[in-house]
Amino acid sequence: MKQTDEVDDLLTRAGARWRADQEAPPEPDLEYMLSGGRKHRRWVPALAAASVAVVAAGVITVLPNPQSPTANAPASPAASAPAGGTPNAGTPQTFAQGNDEFLVKPGDKVQVSGQIVAAPGKTPVFCPPLAVPAIGYPPGKEPAPSCPDEFAVKLNGLDLDKVPGIKTVKGVRVGAAAVTGIWRGGAIDVEEQSAEKQLPYPAQNELQCPVPPGGWTSKQSNISSTAVTKFLAAHAAQIDGPIFRYPNGTSRGAPVVILIGIAHGDASVFREAFEKVYQGNYCVVPVLLSRSDNERISNAIGDLMSKNKALGIYGAGGSGIYGGGASVSLVAYTPEVKAAFTPVGLDLIQFSPQVRPVR
């Protein structure tokens, strides 16, 4: 071997050792960027297997917060914090009372609106907007339409010929309608039927940062630094977030604002500590649930979904960008559901049922 080859070999091996000793550059964390660092879980039972963690295809809604989430929040690091702590976005009593408006018992008059599935020789059923596995079936090889028994609501006395736009797919009749009748616990004795109607959902108020005097200016942010990440993790029992906000759009040089939700404790104390590690634009707003609250409730909901399929839960998630309670999508909010969720905290959950009482 030539001397120059030996030197090259030495340098190559030394370079390899040096590179091996260096920390790898961090990978972009898309989930962190989109969700603000929250680990909000979504559960949707698979149609033919065990539960899988996917986002529900149905709409998951939240009840409106009686208090604006930014009403008493400081606008910027330079603004003064409210004295005596930060109020929650909405009150537990509001969520509990709102849920009771959806409570249905046998004998109540109710309404559903959405997909109707009628298999040959079986009672037609209403089926909620379940997630559909993204399986690439060859054309013509798709399975016949169906609805899992734990989510199907039998429609006794439904006139299929009066369901608008009903069609037959592989021997199964499928359409959409609004149906009103008497709730029999998993079934409805049909009294009226008409074209599908949109279910009324309360308006959703996304958390926003109040604009400081003079507007937001561009600043460097160290939100992804180790010091800030560790600080926020250490305050998981108190805060939710961070959430990235782009008040002036996402063009190059536009300001980025970091939104932090405060669920517990004194906001001014949190801000004072946060400013020792964080540099850049941010705002603090009141929320109902902290990171730890969301994790605890989400785990409890997941356990109920896996252990008691009779509850008819087909989707769930954390408080998200609205700062309210955890969300649960289900067939009907019944006394059985209420009893099962009472240990979890009815005042911290917003239910979104498909079977609605007619008052």
Side-chain angles (χ1 to χ4, degrees), residues 7 12 41 55 64 95-96 120 123 129 163 200 251 314 338:
V7 172
T12 299
R41 301 184 180 185
V55 178
F95 297 127
T123 303
V163 174
S251 61
Y314 62 87
K338 183 175 182 178

Side-chain angles (χ1 to χ4, degrees), residues 111-114 126 129 197-202 352-356:
Q111 184 178 79
V112 293
S113 183
F126 163 79
K197 301 175 182 178
Q198 292 295 323
L199 291 177
Y201 288 102
S352 183
Q354 291 294 314
V355 177
R356 301 290 183 91

Side-chain angles (χ1 to χ4, degrees), residues 266-290:
D266 192 316
S268 60
V269 173
F270 171 83
R271 286 165 51 81
E272 182 179 355
F274 186 52
E275 290 173 11
K276 293 179 179 179
V277 296
Y278 177 72
Q279 299 172 355
N281 293 317
Y282 83 98
C283 73
V284 172
V285 299
V287 295
L288 183 64
L289 303 177
S290 68

Side-chain angles (χ1 to χ4, degrees), residues 18-301:
W18 180 86
R19 286 190 297 273
D21 291 337
Q22 306 309 303
E23 292 186 3
E27 294 291 332
D29 191 341
L30 296 181
E31 179 182 0
Y32 181 90
M33 295 169 65
L34 294 175
S35 69
R38 288 186 296 277
K39 297 180 180 178
H40 293 158
R41 301 184 180 185
R42 304 276 181 181
W43 294 275
V44 180
L47 302 187
S51 298
V52 292
V54 296
V55 178
V59 177
I60 295 181
T61 63
V62 297
L63 299 176
N65 296 330
Q67 174 186 324
S68 170
T70 58
N72 297 311
S76 69
S80 59
T86 303
N88 287 328
T91 64
Q93 291 78 13
T94 299
F95 297 127
Q97 292 167 2
N99 293 330
D100 280 345
E101 293 179 2
F102 293 130
L103 188 65
V104 294
K105 295 174 287 187
D108 288 347
K109 191 171 186 177
V110 299
Q111 184 178 79
V112 293
S113 183
Q115 186 182 47
I116 307 298
V117 179
K122 295 185 177 182
T123 303
V125 301
F126 163 79
C127 196
L130 307 176
V132 179
I135 300 175
Y137 293 103
K141 300 297 182 181
E142 302 89 350
S146 64
C147 188
D149 290 342
E150 62 264 35
F151 304 124
V153 177
K154 293 182 179 180
L155 302 174
N156 301 321
L158 182 74
D159 188 341
L160 288 171
D161 293 330
K162 293 183 179 180
V163 174
I166 194 166
K167 60 184 179 180
T168 302
V169 180
K170 293 194 171 183
V172 178
R173 302 187 75 180
V174 183
V179 178
T180 303
I182 304 302
W183 178 247
R184 299 302 181 192
I188 297 174
D189 293 344
V190 178
E191 295 182 339
E192 302 174 24
Q193 61 184 87
S194 61
E196 182 182 14
K197 301 175 182 178
Q198 292 295 323
L199 291 177
Y201 288 102
Q204 302 181 78
N205 300 314
E206 183 176 325
L207 295 174
Q208 297 292 341
C209 289
V211 180
W216 296 105
T217 59
S218 295
K219 294 181 180 179
Q220 291 292 328
S221 171
N222 66 337
I223 190 63
S224 298
S225 68
T226 300
V228 175
T229 301
K230 288 183 176 180
F231 176 88
L232 295 178
H235 288 76
Q238 179 184 11
I239 62 100
D240 196 22
I243 299 174
F244 288 72
R245 285 284 180 258
Y246 304 90
N248 299 342
T250 57
S251 61
R252 182 182 296 274
V256 178
V257 182
I258 303 303
L259 185 151
I260 305 290
I262 300 287
H264 310 289
D266 192 316
S268 60
V269 173
F270 171 83
R271 286 165 51 81
E272 182 179 355
F274 186 52
E275 290 173 11
K276 293 179 179 179
V277 296
Y278 177 72
Q279 299 172 355
N281 293 317
Y282 83 98
C283 73
V284 172
V285 299
V287 295
L288 183 64
L289 303 177
S290 68
R291 286 186 184 182
S292 297
D293 295 332
N294 270 300
E295 189 74 9
R296 175 185 65 81
I297 295 172
S298 294
N299 287 335
I301 295 172

Side-chain angles (χ1 to χ4, degrees), residues 96 99-108 110 183-186 304 308 310-313 330-344 346 351 353 355 357 359:
N99 293 330
D100 280 345
E101 293 179 2
F102 293 130
L103 188 65
V104 294
K105 295 174 287 187
D108 288 347
V110 299
W183 178 247
R184 299 302 181 192
L304 286 173
N308 193 344
L311 296 177
I313 307 166
L330 71 168
V331 175
Y333 186 59
T334 63
E336 293 75 18
V337 170
K338 183 175 182 178
F341 275 90
T342 295
V344 182
L346 294 174
F351 293 92
V355 177
R359 308 296 188 191

